[in-house]
mmCIF file with all atom_site columns, all heavy atoms in Angstrom:
data_model
loop_
_atom_site.group_PDB
_atom_site.id
_atom_site.type_symbol
_atom_site.label_atom_id
_atom_site.label_alt_id
_atom_site.label_comp_id
_atom_site.label_asym_id
_atom_site.label_entity_id
_atom_site.label_seq_id
_atom_site.pdbx_PDB_ins_code
_atom_site.Cartn_x
_atom_site.Cartn_y
_atom_site.Cartn_z
_atom_site.occupancy
_atom_site.B_iso_or_equiv
_atom_site.pdbx_formal_charge
_atom_site.auth_seq_id
_atom_site.auth_comp_id
_atom_site.auth_asym_id
_atom_site.auth_atom_id
_atom_site.pdbx_PDB_model_num
ATOM 1  N N   . GLU A 1 360 ? -37.010 -20.293 13.428 1.00 85.00 ? 420 GLU A N   1
ATOM 2  C CA  . GLU A 1 360 ? -37.527 -19.346 12.460 1.00 85.00 ? 420 GLU A CA  1
ATOM 3  C C   . GLU A 1 360 ? -39.037 -19.146 12.634 1.00 85.00 ? 420 GLU A C   1
ATOM 4  O O   . GLU A 1 360 ? -39.544 -18.012 12.545 1.00 85.00 ? 420 GLU A O   1
ATOM 5  C CB  . GLU A 1 360 ? -37.228 -19.800 11.034 1.00 85.00 ? 420 GLU A CB  1
ATOM 6  C CG  . GLU A 1 360 ? -37.631 -18.830 9.973  1.00 85.00 ? 420 GLU A CG  1
ATOM 7  C CD  . GLU A 1 360 ? -37.172 -19.282 8.610  1.00 85.00 ? 420 GLU A CD  1
ATOM 8  O OE1 . GLU A 1 360 ? -36.475 -20.314 8.505  1.00 85.00 ? 420 GLU A OE1 1
ATOM 9  O OE2 . GLU A 1 360 ? -37.475 -18.583 7.643  1.00 85.00 ? 420 GLU A OE2 1
ATOM 10 N N   . ASN A 1 361 ? -39.759 -20.228 12.862 1.00 88.00 ? 421 ASN A N   1
ATOM 11 C CA  . ASN A 1 361 ? -41.198 -20.164 13.119 1.00 88.00 ? 421 ASN A CA  1
ATOM 12 C C   . ASN A 1 361 ? -41.513 -21.092 14.258 1.00 88.00 ? 421 ASN A C   1
ATOM 13 O O   . ASN A 1 361 ? -40.967 -22.238 14.340 1.00 88.00 ? 421 ASN A O   1
ATOM 14 C CB  . ASN A 1 361 ? -41.998 -20.590 11.863 1.00 88.00 ? 421 ASN A CB  1
ATOM 15 C CG  . ASN A 1 361 ? -41.807 -19.590 10.730 1.00 88.00 ? 421 ASN A CG  1
ATOM 16 O OD1 . ASN A 1 361 ? -42.043 -18.417 10.895 1.00 88.00 ? 421 ASN A OD1 1
ATOM 17 N ND2 . ASN A 1 361 ? -41.372 -20.092 9.586  1.00 88.00 ? 421 ASN A ND2 1
ATOM 18 N N   . LEU A 1 362 ? -42.381 -20.675 15.156 1.00 91.00 ? 422 LEU A N   1
ATOM 19 C CA  . LEU A 1 362 ? -42.819 -21.544 16.228 1.00 91.00 ? 422 LEU A CA  1
ATOM 20 C C   . LEU A 1 362 ? -43.826 -22.557 15.701 1.00 91.00 ? 422 LEU A C   1
ATOM 21 O O   . LEU A 1 362 ? -44.623 -22.265 14.831 1.00 91.00 ? 422 LEU A O   1
ATOM 22 C CB  . LEU A 1 362 ? -43.463 -20.699 17.352 1.00 91.00 ? 422 LEU A CB  1
ATOM 23 C CG  . LEU A 1 362 ? -42.511 -19.750 18.080 1.00 91.00 ? 422 LEU A CG  1
ATOM 24 C CD1 . LEU A 1 362 ? -43.300 -18.879 19.056 1.00 91.00 ? 422 LEU A CD1 1
ATOM 25 C CD2 . LEU A 1 362 ? -41.424 -20.538 18.806 1.00 91.00 ? 422 LEU A CD2 1
ATOM 26 N N   . PRO A 1 363 ? -43.780 -23.775 16.221 1.00 89.00 ? 423 PRO A N   1
ATOM 27 C CA  . PRO A 1 363 ? -44.686 -24.819 15.727 1.00 89.00 ? 423 PRO A CA  1
ATOM 28 C C   . PRO A 1 363 ? -46.118 -24.551 16.121 1.00 89.00 ? 423 PRO A C   1
ATOM 29 O O   . PRO A 1 363 ? -46.405 -23.820 17.087 1.00 89.00 ? 423 PRO A O   1
ATOM 30 C CB  . PRO A 1 363 ? -44.149 -26.086 16.396 1.00 89.00 ? 423 PRO A CB  1
ATOM 31 C CG  . PRO A 1 363 ? -43.510 -25.614 17.652 1.00 89.00 ? 423 PRO A CG  1
ATOM 32 C CD  . PRO A 1 363 ? -42.891 -24.270 17.324 1.00 89.00 ? 423 PRO A CD  1
ATOM 33 N N   . SER A 1 364 ? -47.005 -25.130 15.341 1.00 86.00 ? 424 SER A N   1
ATOM 34 C CA  . SER A 1 364 ? -48.439 -25.057 15.647 1.00 86.00 ? 424 SER A CA  1
ATOM 35 C C   . SER A 1 364 ? -48.810 -26.270 16.465 1.00 86.00 ? 424 SER A C   1
ATOM 36 O O   . SER A 1 364 ? -49.127 -27.329 15.936 1.00 86.00 ? 424 SER A O   1
ATOM 37 C CB  . SER A 1 364 ? -49.242 -24.958 14.343 1.00 86.00 ? 424 SER A CB  1
ATOM 38 O OG  . SER A 1 364 ? -50.631 -24.913 14.614 1.00 86.00 ? 424 SER A OG  1
ATOM 39 N N   . ALA A 1 365 ? -48.782 -26.108 17.799 1.00 86.00 ? 425 ALA A N   1
ATOM 40 C CA  . ALA A 1 365 ? -49.039 -27.237 18.703 1.00 86.00 ? 425 ALA A CA  1
ATOM 41 C C   . ALA A 1 365 ? -50.526 -27.232 19.086 1.00 86.00 ? 425 ALA A C   1
ATOM 42 O O   . ALA A 1 365 ? -51.220 -26.226 19.042 1.00 86.00 ? 425 ALA A O   1
ATOM 43 C CB  . ALA A 1 365 ? -48.196 -27.098 19.985 1.00 86.00 ? 425 ALA A CB  1
ATOM 44 N N   . THR A 1 366 ? -51.001 -28.450 19.392 1.00 85.00 ? 426 THR A N   1
ATOM 45 C CA  . THR A 1 366 ? -52.387 -28.635 19.772 1.00 85.00 ? 426 THR A CA  1
ATOM 46 C C   . THR A 1 366 ? -52.654 -28.115 21.182 1.00 85.00 ? 426 THR A C   1
ATOM 47 O O   . THR A 1 366 ? -51.899 -28.440 22.120 1.00 85.00 ? 426 THR A O   1
ATOM 48 C CB  . THR A 1 366 ? -52.771 -30.129 19.699 1.00 85.00 ? 426 THR A CB  1
ATOM 49 O OG1 . THR A 1 366 ? -52.508 -30.619 18.375 1.00 85.00 ? 426 THR A OG1 1
ATOM 50 C CG2 . THR A 1 366 ? -54.228 -30.348 20.013 1.00 85.00 ? 426 THR A CG2 1
ATOM 51 N N   . GLY A 1 367 ? -53.660 -27.290 21.331 1.00 90.00 ? 427 GLY A N   1
ATOM 52 C CA  . GLY A 1 367 ? -54.093 -26.831 22.649 1.00 90.00 ? 427 GLY A CA  1
ATOM 53 C C   . GLY A 1 367 ? -53.242 -25.712 23.225 1.00 90.00 ? 427 GLY A C   1
ATOM 54 O O   . GLY A 1 367 ? -53.423 -25.379 24.406 1.00 90.00 ? 427 GLY A O   1
#
Side-chain angles (χ1 to χ4, degrees):
E420 185 174 356
N421 295 305
L422 294 174
S424 179
T426 303

